Amino acid sequence: MPDPNPRNDTSADYEQFEKALLTQDRDAASVVTADIDDATARNLVSDLVDTDVVTPVPESRVLVHELSGTTFDSITQLAVFHRGWTAARDADA
């Protein structure tokens, strides 16, 4: 069983360097969506409505994310979804 103490790690330097780069890549690729407050969500959704990415349906009191076809009844949920959806789309590109 390998020793979990990094000071006792005798693997080659390039392996340690590669592990560090992979960790950095994972950190850079992750998108934080939990930090969206009400004001940020309202501003983002307002911008999305202005650019026709989101369509409000007043009769049903919902918002439709046109790019995915998903319907939301919460501005915050829509903002979090759009950030995640955009990050996933950008990761695929």
Side-chain angles (χ1 to χ4, degrees):
M1 180 167 104
D3 188 356
N5 186 345
R7 293 182 193 155
N8 294 338
D9 189 359
T10 57
S11 61
D13 288 341
Y14 72 89
E15 289 177 359
Q16 292 178 19
F17 179 69
E18 191 173 292
K19 287 179 191 177
L21 288 179
L22 287 172
T23 301
Q24 289 174 4
D25 287 347
R26 275 190 233 118
D27 290 344
S30 65
V31 175
V32 177
T33 57
D35 63 347
I36 297 179
D37 59 5
D38 287 338
T40 303
R42 288 184 189 283
N43 288 334
L44 176 60
V45 171
S46 178
D47 291 345
L48 294 174
V49 169
D50 291 344
T51 58
D52 295 327
V53 173
V54 170
T55 303
V57 183
E59 307 84 42
S60 303
R61 300 186 63 135
V62 295
L63 300 162
V64 179
H65 187 255
E66 295 295 339
L67 302 175
S68 67
T70 308
T71 304
F72 296 90
D73 60 359
S74 165
I75 290 174
T76 304
Q77 288 176 345
L78 173 59
V80 170
F81 173 82
H82 181 74
R83 277 196 179 173
W85 184 85
T86 304
R89 190 187 67 192
D90 291 347
D92 289 341

